[in-house]
Amino acid sequence: MRMPDPDQLAIERRPALLDGLRRIVPGEAVVVDRDALSAYDCDALSVYRQRPLAAVLPETTAQVAQILRLCRDLAVKVVPRGGGTGLSGGALPVADGLLLAMGRFNKILSIDLDNRTARVQPGVTNLAISKAVEANGFYYAPDPSSQIACTIGGNVSENSGGVHCLKYGMTTNNVLGLELVTIDGEILRFGGNFMEQAGFDMVGLLVGAEGLLGVVTEVTVRLLPKPETQRAALIGFPSNRAAADAVAAIIAAGIVPAAIEMMDRAAIQVTEDFVHAGYPLTVEALLIVELDGPSVEVDHLLERVERIARAAGSQTLALSDSEAERLTYWAGRKAAFPAVGRISRDYIVVDGSIPRGKMPDVLDDIAAMSVRHGLRVVNVFHAGDGNLHPLILFDASLPGQLPAAEAFAADILRRCVEVGGVLTGEHGVGIEKRDLMLAQFSEVDLLQQRRLKDAFDPLRLFNPGKVFPLLHRCIDGGQMMVSGGNLAFADLPRF
Amino acid sequence: MRVIDADSEAAVADAISGGIPLEIIGSGSKLCLGRPVSADLQLSLAGLTGITLFEPNELVMSVRAATRLADIEALLATEGQTLAFEPPDLSRLLGVAAGGQTLGGIVASNLSGPRRAVAGGVRDHVLGMRAVNGRGEIFRAGGRVVKNVTGFDLCKLLTGSYGTLAVFTEVTIKLLPAAETEVTLALADLGPQAAVTVMCRAMGSSAGISGAAWLPDQRGGSLTALRLEGFAPSVEARKQRLLGILGGTREAQLWSETASRVWWRDLRDVAPLAGDSERAIWKISLAATQAPALLESLKTLGDARALLDWGGALMWLSLPCQSDAQASSLRRLLPAGAHAMLVKAPAAVRAGVPVFHPLPPAQAMLEERVRHSFDPHLVLNPGRRAAAPPGEGEC
């Protein structure tokens, strides 16, 4: 992965940078040691690594403001980092820049159950928010698979999704307010403990901005009452097409399930071998359809889902009758990535998003590409909102396989765009899909986005080399890559 | 005023490329929202109509900007679908002709109805756009799929920008199934504090409230209404649950589907505050629990009439229209974080006071830089959101 050429002058200013940082934060919060810095040299897209000039761990908004002013004055680039669990390389350091690690911003500042909001620091983990309010019957809805470790600040930067965003939306639909520190060290507050903000929708712009516009130092999230019941259906089909048709029919019937997940035959096989969830091995495709709400509604809708599935030609159908059973249905789905890791030394996770109705055709196309590129593929994804996650299996130790896998991934993403979809549904552009952006956007589209970036960051110091294609296009990509079996955060669920 | 009629995206781009300040107009139903624009030329999008994509199975629709909302809603009704953010029709409130408003106008002003409290607002439903910036460049933002994190989310930034960043030519919007049925439980004669307490409790429960509003009447009484929508058996079950939650309060009225629909449509359209041309109308966004104290302090302004929507997080306020619409007195009373927009007042009043809530200087400067990134020559609706700083162009 090509990154912008390092600025030698900035590297030469490292002593001044370290000196300035030590005046702002205690000495131990400035990380300069080579070994210690290696903890920050990648995020969960771990094939790409780069040691930063230094890392700094501020604890207060005022410190962040001073650090950013220092960086501006020294013209040193800044890469913000949350939990480091991102899948698109958004937190990859740059050789001539400072890594700003936000992990010490780990406090829940206030919880307002009457107004159903929580004000938290960005380093608080996604799951910690739900844990803090669960005894009161509330939760924070977006649930990325890494929620035990990913931080709300990272979720805001990437506009993270999760299996339940079909019904409850992405991060952007669940964040009400942000505090932002600009490159000039100005502390701005947008939105807050209410539904609409004054002025332009800066919260909407900043969520998903991938750290290109400023540093988020506080987040106000919306809390939801926990649903009374959750039940799931596990439904097998004789073909991907039949399963995809059932998904379309469920949506068309006016039902909005909490989640609809799909696995193809290869995915069913590898996960069943791994976790023995009791998935039927005779079917070509499997859906998990989860409904939540009052039990009478859930039961009523499950009946309708059952009828729709049978009309679409389902071969097997089971409905969860207990919480244990529901979790068993999910066990295989949630173990799919590590299960693939057991049968393939390396794999790439693609994140294209397409209109739901195109799923059967695109799955056929992916199967044909698999033959053409000579690489196996496993499909396990968020079918309800058309967010594909093909896993491309390869062995980087074999000559030619890595480039073939990268080319395969790029082919899939171009196909997604051709059928009306987009390059990334929930993982972000980061470095990995950066050079495919012109497959989706025109030069003018991107120029307008760059001008907006410059309105916040005229010196272009925030997170360089991310999102926008470099001037010299040299590589196609578009994937989360697992190399040599060394999945970063190997213990995190990924689905 | 001279008018350029643009019935194609190319014509919009052409007109803007002229570099002459333009007032952007669709049907004209919201021309009186915001400050009066400083422009001698109008760009009319009235010919830019038509549904370009409607895939009910995909819950998605694309329309040209000046397509009438009434036409869209009529088509959606045939498929049992709806715009979940419940766009209001403010024509009665604003005293303009009914039925004309366009989807582009709704998106430009980010106007959402009672269901916003649970279903999200306009900004949560715009999936993609085609637009022309102030340089006359045609650009796309977003897409037509629900899950999309590719690049900056320009759709959110442009929604509610009152035509000051770009002119939308086409909007792609997310649809949802319309509720099968609805009922409303209403409590009579609660004061503001009791009403907000009930609304907060109901909305924080698993009863699945889709509307919570408080409407006082002229006689000192009030109605606190809680709406339940969805599949019939679910609505029935949640009604029982809600009654349980309300237990201990006085007896609730039950409004059937028809009565419920009529009441919430009137509330959505702020009809209870409409009809008096001598009064100024304000829209105030705040935390629901701040509303009772604000209502109390508003008494100092004299003859204030208000209603609460979004469980208390939205206050519509009607005040006698003095020369400054009591802008500074009202804003002084607001609790921290709350903000107020002057929705209706004579043009001379709107020209003289900040119609949109004044922002802290650093944020206002950032907004100006953002605006320049789209419209460096200040061609699009100059003056609509704020009076131009000294030395800025024609304004």
Side-chain angles (χ1 to χ4, degrees), chain A residues 155-385:
Chain A
N155 291 177
V156 164
S157 292
E158 300 296 320
N159 189 12
S160 306
V163 292
H164 292 106
C165 56
L166 174 60
K167 184 169 180 181
Y168 297 103
M170 313 263 295
T171 302
T172 189
N173 311 110
N174 290 278
V175 166
L176 298 172
L178 294 175
E179 180 182 77
L180 181 86
V181 186
T182 69
I183 194 67
D184 291 320
E186 283 171 332
I187 300 162
L188 305 176
R189 297 183 71 87
F190 303 108
N193 195 20
F194 37 85
M195 286 176 205
E196 292 198 340
Q197 57 195 299
F200 291 139
D201 189 349
M202 295 292 195
V203 173
L205 172 64
L206 292 167
V207 175
E210 302 200 24
L212 266 64
L213 302 181
V215 176
V216 170
T217 47
E218 191 185 300
V219 185
T220 303
V221 299
R222 193 163 79 107
L223 302 173
L224 298 186
K226 276 199 289 196
E228 175 194 312
T229 327
Q230 295 171 292
R231 282 185 75 194
L234 188 67
I235 317 169
F237 291 89
S239 65
N240 286 337
R241 189 167 291 272
D245 286 346
V247 172
I250 291 167
I251 300 290
I255 301 169
V256 183
I260 307 181
E261 296 291 305
M262 181 163 159
M263 302 168 76
D264 68 3
R265 186 181 190 95
I268 300 165
Q269 188 73 54
V270 296
T271 56
E272 190 56 25
D273 288 350
F274 183 34
V275 294
H276 314 295
Y279 289 171
L281 295 172
T282 53
V283 302
E284 287 294 319
L286 194 60
L287 292 182
I288 302 173
V289 182
E290 181 159 286
L291 289 137
D292 67 10
S295 56
V296 59
E297 173 175 324
V298 169
D299 296 348
H300 170 74
L301 293 180
L302 271 180
E303 271 173 37
R304 291 176 62 171
V305 166
E306 188 173 347
R307 281 203 298 278
I308 290 167
R310 292 200 193 288
S314 64
Q315 290 171 299
T316 65
L317 190 145
L319 305 178
S320 70
D321 279 321
S322 66
E323 186 62 4
E325 200 169 6
R326 184 181 75 87
L327 295 175
T328 308
Y329 293 178
W330 279 106
R333 170 65 185 89
K334 293 191 176 185
F337 287 21
V340 168
R342 292 173 75 230
I343 64 160
S344 180
R345 184 179 180 276
D346 304 289
Y347 64 90
I348 284 174
V349 181
V350 189
D351 177 43
S353 179
I354 59 172
R356 301 170 185 97
K358 305 287 186 191
M359 279 191 296
D361 289 347
V362 173
L363 289 172
D364 285 351
D365 293 342
I366 292 172
M369 290 176 199
S370 168
V371 174
R372 197 161 68 241
H373 288 283
L375 294 173
R376 285 186 296 166
V377 66
V378 172
N379 284 291
V380 43
F381 59 97
H382 313 306
D385 34 32

Side-chain angles (χ1 to χ4, degrees), chain B residues 332-380:
Chain B
R332 264 199 302 275
L333 295 176
L334 296 182
H339 52 95
M341 174 187 172
L342 177 58
V343 170
K344 176 176 172 259
V349 174
R350 285 182 289 115
V353 302
V355 167
F356 294 92
H357 200 82
L359 300 172
Q363 191 179 337
M365 281 164 65
L366 176 64
E367 289 216 342
E368 275 310 293
R369 295 199 299 275
V370 166
R371 182 167 163 231
H372 278 254
S373 77
F374 285 86
D375 181 17
H377 312 301
L378 307 182
V379 173
L380 306 177

